C-alpha cells in the first residue's frame, strides 16, 4: 500500500477540480455554440422562406400582368390575383367586388374562397356611409378596416350576414382609376378578430394596384370595341355593323323563303336647323331622333346611323311587304311630332325609302341604293312620307347622278344662262321688274329643267358658285338695260336656303352691286318660307344686314311652306309672292280663291307689297287687281325669255 501525503492529496484534488471546471466550461461553450448554430439555422430558414415568398409574389404579379396584356378574361386575371394574395397570407379570404356602371350598386366580382351565398347577398347592394366595409370604402373612396364585425357600427346592417358565414373581420380598400373614379374594392376577410400589419397593408396596396390595371385595361378594350361598332353621337350601330346584320338577315331569308326590308330615313329640314341654330342643337336633335327610331322598332329589328342625318332600319324575316309599310308609317309618325330641345320647338319630319329583298336586290349594296332612291322619291312626293323602290326610281337616280356629274363642268364651260320673266305693275301697266331664272343648256341636248338640276345643285353644294354667278350676271344685265333707257327697272333673283346661310353673303352681295354699278334698291332677293320657320338670331342678322344695305327681300311661293304668319312682322320682309298653285285656282276652286283673298288682306294690314306669280288669264288678273294685289307675272304677260328678247319687250312697251 502506498500512502500519499496530505500535500499530494491536496494537489490531486485541485487538479481534479480544475479538470471538472474546464469540462463544465467546454460543455457550456458547446451548448452556446449549438444554440447559436440553431438560431442561425432558423434565421436562414426564415430568410429563405421569405425570399421564396417574395419571389412567388413577383412571379405571380408578372403572370397576372401578362394575362391582362394578353387575351385572358378579366375574371381569370382577378381570380389569379385573389389566389396569389391568399397564398401569401394563409387564413386570409380575399374578394374583388366591382362597382356597377350606375356608380351606386355593387356588382359581384371574384371571391373563390368566400361562400357563394355571401357574394349573392352583396350583389346589387347600394354603396353608402354604412354599407359594410366594401360598400363604405367605395363610398368614402378610402380604406375601411373592420377588425371585429360584432362591434363595428359600419357593418351593423351586415353583421348577421357575416356571422352566418363565419366572418369576423374585414378590411376593404377602394380600387380607383387614374382619374379617381371608383372601379370596385379589394377586401381581406378573416374568421377571427384581426387588424392589419405592415406586410398585409403592403399586400393590399399591391392587390389594388394590379386590380386597377386589369379593370382599366378591360374597360378600355370594351370602349374601343364599342366605339368601333357604335356611332359616337347617337350610340346606334355603324355602317359596318349594319352590313353584317343585313347579310345575316339575307342569309336567313334565303333559307326560310321570306323577305328583308331596308328603310332609308333622311330628316327633312335638318340642314336648315343645323346651320341656323348651330351644331350643338343639331347633335341633340340627332340623338332624340335615334331614340325615337329605337323605340319604334320590333324585337330583332336594327337601326344604324350611316352619316349626317341619314339612318337605316333593317326589318328581317318579313312575310309581307305591308309589314314594311306599317313600320315606315310608324317612323314617319314618330318623327312628325315636334322636338323640344333647349327651349326650341323644332319641326323635323322624315322621308323614308323602302327596298325589299329579294325583289329589289340580292346584296347589301343593292338594297341600300334602292332604298336611297326610294327615299328621294319620298322627298319629291312632299316629304314626311314613305315610298317603295321601283325600277322607274332607279332610272331617276341614274338621271340625278348624270346631272350631278354634268353640273361640275357646266359652270366652267359656260353652259348656264339666265332667262327673264317680266313683273307688271297693275297701277301703271308697266314692266317694273324682271325675275332672273336660271337655265342650263348642254350642247347637243335638250334644255334641262331647273326643277331637275337645282335640287341636285343644292344637294351637292354646287348651288353656291352657280348662285353667285347668277346674281352677278343678273346685276350686269340690269345695268345694261338701265343704261339703255330703263333707269327704274329692278331685278329679282332667287336665293336658296343654302346660299342664304353661306358665309359672307352680305359682303358678296355688296361687292356684286358695286362692281355692276347698281344701287342696292334695284335688287330684290327672293327667299323661301323655310328661312322663317325659326326665329334665329343669325337669320335675322343676315336679313337686317341686307335690308340696311338697301336690298329688298321678298318671300317666294308664299303659303306653301312651314312659316307662321306671325313671323312676317318679326322679319324685315318687304313683299310676298303668292304661289301659282293658288293663283291657278282663282275662280275655279273656292278654297284657292279664299286663300288668295286672305293673303291679300293680311298683306295690306302688314303693309307688304304682293306679287302674284303664274297669272295666265284676264280673269285672274282682274280678281287680283280688285282685291289689292300690286303686281303680277306669268304667261299672261310673257314666258321667261332670253335677255335680247326681254330688251325688245321693254322697247315695245316704251314706244
Amino acid at each position: 500500500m502506498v500512502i500519499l501525503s496530505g500535500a499530494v492529496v491536496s494537489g490531486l484534488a485541485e487538479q481534479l477540480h480544475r479538470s471538472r471546471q474546464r469540462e463544465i466550461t467546454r460543455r457550456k461553450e458547446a451548448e452556446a455554440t449549438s444554440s447559436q448554430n440553431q438560431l442561425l439555422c432558423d434565421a436562414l430558414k426564415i430568410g429563405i422562406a421569405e425570399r421564396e415568398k417574395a419571389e412567388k409574389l413577383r412571379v405571380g404579379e408578372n403572370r397576372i400582368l401578362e394575362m391582362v396584356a394578353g387575351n385572358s378574361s378579366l375574371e381569370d386575371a382577378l381570380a389569379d390575383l385573389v389566389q396569389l394574395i391568399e397564398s401569401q397570407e394563409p387564413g386570409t379570404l380575399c374578394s374583388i367586388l366591382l362597382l356597377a356602371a350606375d356608380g351606386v350598386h355593387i356588382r359581384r366580382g371574384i371571391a373563390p374562397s368566400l361562400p357563394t351565398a355571401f357574394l349573392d347577398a352583396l350583389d346589387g347592394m347600394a354603396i353608402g356611409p354604412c354599407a359594410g366595409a366594401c360598400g363604405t370604402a367605395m363610398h368614402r373612396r378610402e380604406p375601411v378596416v373592420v377588425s371585429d364585425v360584432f362591434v363595428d357600427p359600419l357593418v351593423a346592417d351586415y353583421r348577421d350576414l357575416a356571422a352566418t358565414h363565419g366572418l369576423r373581420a374585414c378590411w376593404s380598400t377602394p380600387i380607383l382609376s387614374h382619374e379617381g373614379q371608383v372601379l370596385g374594392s379589394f377586401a381581406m376577410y378573416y374568421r377571427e378578430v384581426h387588424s392589419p400589419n405592415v406586410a398585409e397593408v403592403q399586400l393590399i396596396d399591391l392587390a389594388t394596384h394590379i386590380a386597377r390595371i386589369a379593370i382599366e385595361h378591360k374597360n378600355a378594350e370594351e370602349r374601343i370595341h364599342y366605339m368601333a361598332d357604335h356611332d359616337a353621337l347617337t350610340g346606334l350601330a355603324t355602317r359596318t355593323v349594319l352590313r353584317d346584320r343585313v347579310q345575316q338577315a339575307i342569309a336567313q331569308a334565303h333559307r326560310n323563303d321570306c323577305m328583308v326590308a331596308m328603310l332609308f330615313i333622311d330628316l327633312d329640314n335638318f340642314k336648315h336647323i343645323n346651320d341656323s341654330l348651330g351644331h350643338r342643337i343639331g347633335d341633340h336633335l340627332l340623338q332624340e331622333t335615334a331614340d325615337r327610331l329605337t323605340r319604334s322598332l320590333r324585337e330583332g329589328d336594327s337601326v344604324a346611323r350611316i352619316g349626317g342625318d341619314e339612318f337605316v332600319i333593317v326589318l328581317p324575316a318579313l312575310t309581307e311587304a305591308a309589314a314594311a309599310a306599317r313600320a315606315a308609317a310608324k317612323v314617319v309618325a314618330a318623327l312628325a311630332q315636334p322636338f323640344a330641345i333647349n327651349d326650341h320647338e323644332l319641326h323635323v319630319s322624315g322621308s323614308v325609302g323602302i327596298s325589299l329583298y329579294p325583289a329589289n336586290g340580292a346584296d347589301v349594296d343593292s338594297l341600300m341604293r334602292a332604298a336611297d332612291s326610294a327615299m328621294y322619291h319620298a322627298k319629291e312626293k312632299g316629304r314626311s312620307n314613305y315610298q317603295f323602290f321601283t325600277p322607274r326610281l332607279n332610272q331617276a337616280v341614274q338621271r340625278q347622278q348624270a346631272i350631278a356629274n354634268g353640273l361640275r363642268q357646266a359652270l366652267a364651260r359656260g353652259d348656264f344662262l339666265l332667262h327673264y320673266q317680266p313683273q307688271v305693275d297693275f297701277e301703271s301697266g308697266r314692266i317694273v321688274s324682271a325675275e332672273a331664272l336660271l337655265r342650263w343648256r348642254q350642247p347637243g341636248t335638250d334644255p334641262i329643267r331647273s326643277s331637275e338640276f337645282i335640287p341636285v345643285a343644292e344637294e351637292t353644294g354646287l348651288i353656291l358658285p352657280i348662285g353667285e354667278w347668277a346674281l352677278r350676271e343678273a346685276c350686269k344685265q340690269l345695268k345694261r338695260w338701265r343704261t339703255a333707257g330703263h333707269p327704274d327697272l329692278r331685278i329679282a333673283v332667287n336665293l336658296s336656303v343654302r346660299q342664304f346661310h353661306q358665309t359672307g353673303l352680305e359682303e358678296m352681295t355688296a361687292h356684286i352691286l358695286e362692281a355692276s354699278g347698281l344701287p342696292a334698291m334695284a335688287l330684290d332677293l327672293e327667299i323661301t318660307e323655310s328661312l322663317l320657320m325659326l326665329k334665329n338670331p343669325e337669320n335675322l342678322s343676315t336679313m337686317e344686314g341686307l335690308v340696311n344695305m338697301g336690298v329688298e327681300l321678298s318671300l317666294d311661293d308664299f303659303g306653301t311652306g312651314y312659316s307662321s304668319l306671325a313671323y312676317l312682322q318679326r322679319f324685315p320682309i318687304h313683299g310676298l309672292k303668292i304661289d301659282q298653285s293658288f293663283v291657278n285656282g282663282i275662280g275655279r276652286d273656292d278654297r284657292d280663291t279664299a286663300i288668295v283673298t286672305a293673303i291679300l288682306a293680311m298683306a295690306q294690314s302688314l303693309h307688304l307689297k304682293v306679287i302674284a306669280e303664274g297669272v295666265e288669264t284676264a280673269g285672274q288678273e282682274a280678281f287680283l287687281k280688285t282685291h289689292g294685289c300690286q303686281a303680277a307675272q306669268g304667261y299672261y304677260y310673257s314666258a321667261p325669255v332670253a335677255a335680247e328678247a326681254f330688251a325688245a319687250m321693254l322697247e315695245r312697251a316704251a314706244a
Side-chain angles (χ1 to χ4, degrees):
M1 171 181 291
V2 179
I3 300 175
L4 301 176
S5 65
V8 173
V9 171
S10 176
L12 290 172
E14 180 64 25
Q15 290 177 5
L16 181 61
H17 176 72
R18 285 197 297 270
S19 177
R20 287 176 179 173
Q21 288 298 318
R22 285 195 297 271
E23 181 64 25
I24 291 171
T25 300
R26 208 166 32 248
R27 287 178 181 177
K28 287 182 177 180
E29 289 175 350
E31 289 175 359
T33 300
S34 176
S35 178
Q36 290 174 358
N37 288 339
Q38 184 62 45
L39 290 173
L40 181 59
C41 183
D42 291 343
L44 285 172
K45 289 180 179 179
I46 292 172
I48 292 171
E50 289 297 325
R51 285 197 298 273
E52 290 177 347
K53 188 176 179 181
E55 179 64 15
K56 182 178 180 181
L57 184 62
R58 185 188 66 80
V59 171
E61 178 183 355
N62 290 338
R63 183 184 68 253
I64 295 167
L65 292 176
E66 288 175 359
M67 293 175 66
V68 171
N71 295 323
S72 299
S73 67
L74 177 64
E75 291 74 16
D76 289 344
L78 296 182
D80 264 34
L81 175 59
V82 166
Q83 291 171 358
L84 176 63
I85 301 302
E86 289 179 348
S87 71
Q88 293 285 305
E89 293 293 328
T92 301
L93 311 174
C94 297
S95 76
I96 296 177
L97 301 179
L98 303 177
L99 187 62
D102 63 6
V104 175
H105 294 91
I106 294 173
R107 187 158 59 89
R108 179 173 178 166
I110 299 297
S113 300
L114 286 171
T116 302
F118 179 73
L119 289 177
D120 290 342
L122 294 179
D123 191 25
M125 283 187 173
I127 64 174
C130 294
C134 294
T136 305
M138 292 189 216
H139 175 75
R140 291 182 180 176
R141 305 162 62 82
E142 63 183 23
V144 170
V145 175
V146 176
S147 299
D148 189 347
V149 169
F150 289 173
V151 298
D152 198 310
L154 283 179
V155 292
D157 294 339
Y158 301 86
R159 189 167 294 148
D160 292 341
L161 176 63
T164 299
H165 297 286
L167 303 175
R168 189 67 183 270
C170 177
W171 324 325
S172 184
T173 298
I175 302 169
L176 303 178
S177 70
H178 275 103
E179 294 79 18
Q181 178 185 1
V182 177
L183 303 174
S185 69
F186 179 85
M188 287 181 167
Y189 292 83
Y190 294 88
R191 297 193 182 280
E192 66 279 338
V193 175
H194 197 72
S195 295
N197 57 39
V198 174
E200 290 165 336
V201 170
Q202 292 174 344
L203 278 177
I204 292 174
D205 290 343
L206 175 65
T208 54
H209 175 70
I210 296 176
R212 173 185 62 77
I213 293 174
I215 296 171
E216 283 194 318
H217 183 81
K218 181 65 174 180
N219 289 346
E221 281 187 341
E222 290 178 349
R223 282 196 297 272
I224 291 171
H225 288 310
Y226 183 86
M227 290 171 64
D229 294 340
H230 294 80
D231 174 57
L233 178 64
T234 63
L236 297 180
T238 60
R239 184 187 291 265
T240 301
V241 175
L242 175 72
R243 292 186 68 88
D244 290 340
R245 292 178 181 174
V246 174
Q247 288 169 350
Q248 293 173 12
I250 289 174
Q252 181 186 22
H254 180 71
R255 290 192 302 269
N256 300 331
D257 193 24
C258 56
M259 294 185 293
V260 177
M262 181 178 288
L263 277 56
F264 198 112
I265 304 153
D266 184 86
L267 298 185
D268 304 322
N269 306 308
F270 172 76
K271 178 170 176 51
H272 166 67
I273 290 174
N274 202 40
D275 291 344
S276 59
L277 295 182
H279 292 288
R280 188 170 62 87
I281 298 295
D283 286 349
H284 286 174
L285 178 57
L286 291 174
Q287 290 168 339
E288 289 291 327
T289 298
D291 182 61
R292 292 191 184 185
L293 293 178
T294 300
R295 285 188 278 114
S296 70
L297 300 181
R298 310 168 305 165
E299 184 178 354
D301 297 342
S302 299
V303 59
R305 179 183 177 220
I306 61 172
D309 61 336
E310 295 178 334
F311 301 83
V312 170
I313 291 177
V314 179
L315 309 174
L318 299 184
T319 57
E320 57 175 357
R326 289 192 294 269
K330 191 174 181 181
V331 167
V332 170
L335 298 180
Q337 298 301 313
F339 290 81
I341 298 176
N342 289 16
D343 299 326
H344 296 281
E345 184 177 285
L346 307 179
H347 297 268
V348 184
S349 58
S351 297
V352 183
I354 307 172
S355 63
L356 298 172
Y357 167 86
N360 306 136
D363 55 51
V364 179
D365 292 333
S366 299
L367 291 174
M368 187 78 76
R369 286 193 298 269
D372 188 19
S373 64
M375 179 273 295
Y376 278 104
H377 185 45
K379 285 186 177 294
E380 293 172 359
K381 289 290 187 179
R383 306 189 176 195
S384 192
N385 70 95
Y386 65 87
Q387 297 292 326
F388 281 89
F389 175 79
T390 65
R392 182 180 59 81
L393 287 181
N394 189 39
Q395 295 174 358
V397 170
Q398 293 176 355
R399 170 70 171 167
Q400 287 180 341
Q401 290 175 342
I403 289 173
N405 293 335
L407 282 173
R408 302 180 196 283
Q409 304 173 15
L411 190 59
R413 288 197 308 245
D415 289 345
F416 291 112
L417 68 155
L418 294 179
H419 279 189
Y420 302 89
Q421 188 170 38
Q423 295 179 338
V424 177
D425 177 66
F426 281 153
E427 184 176 354
S428 65
R430 296 173 49 247
I431 298 173
V432 294
S433 183
E435 180 179 4
L437 299 166
L438 187 64
R439 297 291 184 263
W440 178 18
R441 292 186 182 276
Q442 290 181 305
T445 64
D446 293 332
I448 301 174
R449 292 177 301 173
S450 58
S451 59
E452 273 194 284
F453 72 82
I454 287 181
V456 178
E458 286 272 5
E459 186 71 25
T460 59
L462 293 170
I463 193 65
L464 298 182
I466 294 173
E468 182 178 350
W469 174 86
L471 180 59
R472 193 180 303 276
E473 184 64 25
C475 289
K476 287 180 181 178
Q477 183 59 60
L478 178 62
K479 179 61 176 177
R480 297 187 193 105
W481 288 332
R482 283 189 161 216
T483 302
H486 308 282
D488 297 327
L489 191 67
R490 304 178 70 253
I491 195 80
V493 180
N494 289 282
L495 200 64
S496 73
V497 173
R498 194 156 188 169
Q499 288 176 273
F500 184 85
H501 288 124
Q502 68 180 304
T503 303
L505 173 64
E506 299 162 60
E507 293 79 2
M508 181 188 74
T509 303
H511 177 74
I512 289 175
L513 288 169
E514 182 181 3
S516 60
L518 287 177
M521 63 178 295
L523 177 63
D524 183 1
L525 292 178
E526 297 184 357
I527 61 177
T528 62
E529 280 188 276
S530 60
L531 283 171
L532 307 188
M533 185 172 63
L534 297 170
K535 186 182 180 182
N536 181 271
E538 293 181 4
N539 287 356
L540 183 59
S541 175
T542 300
M543 289 183 187
E544 289 178 341
L546 292 168
V547 170
N548 292 337
M549 190 189 307
V551 174
E552 291 196 358
L553 298 178
S554 295
L555 206 55
D556 196 15
D557 301 329
F558 186 75
T560 62
Y562 302 91
S563 67
S564 165
L565 297 181
Y567 288 155
L568 292 177
Q569 59 186 344
R570 301 177 188 174
F571 289 93
I573 301 297
H574 297 91
L576 308 176
K577 293 189 74 175
I578 303 177
D579 187 70
Q580 62 182 349
S581 62
F582 301 123
V583 174
N584 289 340
I586 291 175
R588 295 187 295 106
D589 188 302
D590 291 343
R591 290 174 297 183
D592 287 343
T593 304
I595 289 173
V596 172
T597 303
I599 291 174
L600 290 170
M602 178 270 302
Q604 288 175 1
S605 65
L606 294 176
H607 306 291
L608 297 173
K609 69 177 183 180
V610 182
I611 298 178
E613 58 182 352
V615 175
E616 296 181 352
T617 67
Q620 293 169 351
E621 181 189 61
F623 178 89
L624 292 166
K625 284 182 178 180
T626 302
H627 289 81
C629 185
Q630 291 96 342
Q633 69 183 83
Y635 279 72
Y636 181 67
Y637 309 103
S638 171
V641 296
E644 297 78 7
F646 192 89
M649 192 185 310
L650 290 173
E651 294 301 326
R652 288 195 300 272

